[in-house]
Amino acid sequence: MKGLAELKNKIVKVPHMNIFKIGTWVTMGLFATYLLIYIFVGQEMLNYFPLLILFAFATPFISLMMSKASVKRAYNIRMIGDGEARTEKEKLVVDTITLLSQKLGLQRLPEIGVYPSNDVNAFATGASKNSAMVAVSQGLLNNMNETEIIGVLAHEMSHVVNGDMLTSSILEGFVSAFGLIATLPFLLGGNNNRGRRAGSSIMTYYLIRNVANIFGKIVSSAYSRRREYGADKLAAEITDPSYMKSALLRLQEISEGRVSLQDSDREFATFKITNNFSMGNIFGNLFASHPSLEKRIAAIERMENKQF
């Protein structure tokens, strides 16, 4: 494979974020929230509906708006755009992100950075696809070749163009809203004996809150796994399935200890293009933010088989 030179000649079908679909799901979510308040809390609490929605969505959207500034400080990210790349691999990252941005029709080039970590990581963040940032770890640059790096960057750019950061924040807002609905009777009581009894039971309140949190985590994790499959698929389409497969195979080799990380202890290696949650049982699968590498590789192989 010719890496970036081959990618330049690739014809890419520009994907578009389905605003109508997102709007439909948001509308359905708001209606479900309204209905749940009416059923479980009481009609008199519907007056608090706008306040509840505002409260539930405030934290995820404030976090989304501040995400770039936060991770820059937390990870000590060094920006490498605008001719600031120091090595050939850093230049490869900048050239790849620039090329993919053009092919995917982004109006603004994402900010591009490298952070000092031996972990093999990469991530994308930002409030919108035209206000995004893609960062890679030094460990990733040290331990991956050109094709593998391009595969990882295509995966992260797929998150950007799919608007995954925004949709994740919307989902987090609804999960928070449903959790508030579940605990409102215990926080505010009600006009019936059941509400007053529940409001006086601290243990019941914490039990319901924890159950709601667990359910919310299961839902958000399931969505996260789905979007990872989607990012893998789009990355394979805009580059080539072999690029994404080679990156995932490399991550698998590193995670299984079959390849030694440069200047790193394997026990501390985590992958933000994958995750370090144990996948050994059903509970691990329920709460994992990423599918297993084996499943992701199998999905890419099915794409490869369809090409022939």
Side-chain angles (χ1 to χ4, degrees), residues 157-218:
M157 287 296 290
S158 296
H159 282 309
V160 172
V161 77
N162 283 336
D164 285 338
M165 290 79 77
L166 174 62
T167 54
S168 293
S169 295
I170 292 173
L171 177 62
E172 187 178 343
F174 279 119
V175 167
S176 178
F178 294 152
L180 285 172
I181 292 170
T183 55
L184 269 177
F186 306 96
L187 291 172
L188 303 175
N191 292 330
N192 52 55
N193 291 331
R194 185 184 66 176
R196 285 192 290 271
R197 288 197 302 270
S200 65
S201 174
I202 296 177
M203 289 185 63
T204 304
Y205 162 72
Y206 280 109
L207 175 63
I208 296 297
R209 190 180 75 170
N210 289 332
V211 169
N213 288 340
I214 291 171
F215 177 75
K217 178 63 177 175
I218 291 173

Side-chain angles (χ1 to χ4, degrees), residues 4 88-96 146 149-150 153:
L4 193 61
E88 287 300 314
K89 283 193 174 179
E90 288 184 4
K91 188 175 185 300
L92 170 65
V93 171
V94 174
D95 290 344
T96 301
E146 179 177 346
I149 291 172
I150 292 173
L153 294 175

Side-chain angles (χ1 to χ4, degrees), residues 57-75:
F57 279 82
T59 298
F61 273 88
I62 290 173
S63 298
L64 178 65
M65 298 301 294
M66 298 178 61
S67 59
K68 286 199 298 184
S70 298
V71 297
K72 284 178 182 178
R73 290 193 300 269
Y75 289 93

Side-chain angles (χ1 to χ4, degrees), residues 115 117 119-123 135-137 139-140 152 269-273:
Y115 59 98
S117 171
D119 296 340
V120 181
N121 290 338
F123 63 86
V136 299
S137 69
L140 183 143
V152 170
T270 58
F271 316 116
K272 292 185 180 176
I273 186 174

Side-chain angles (χ1 to χ4, degrees), residues 248-266:
L248 293 173
L249 286 171
R250 183 63 169 174
L251 288 170
Q252 187 179 51
E253 290 176 349
I254 294 170
S255 67
E256 293 176 353
R258 289 188 277 126
V259 175
S260 297
L261 296 181
Q262 296 182 16
D263 303 318
S264 175
D265 293 324
R266 186 177 66 87

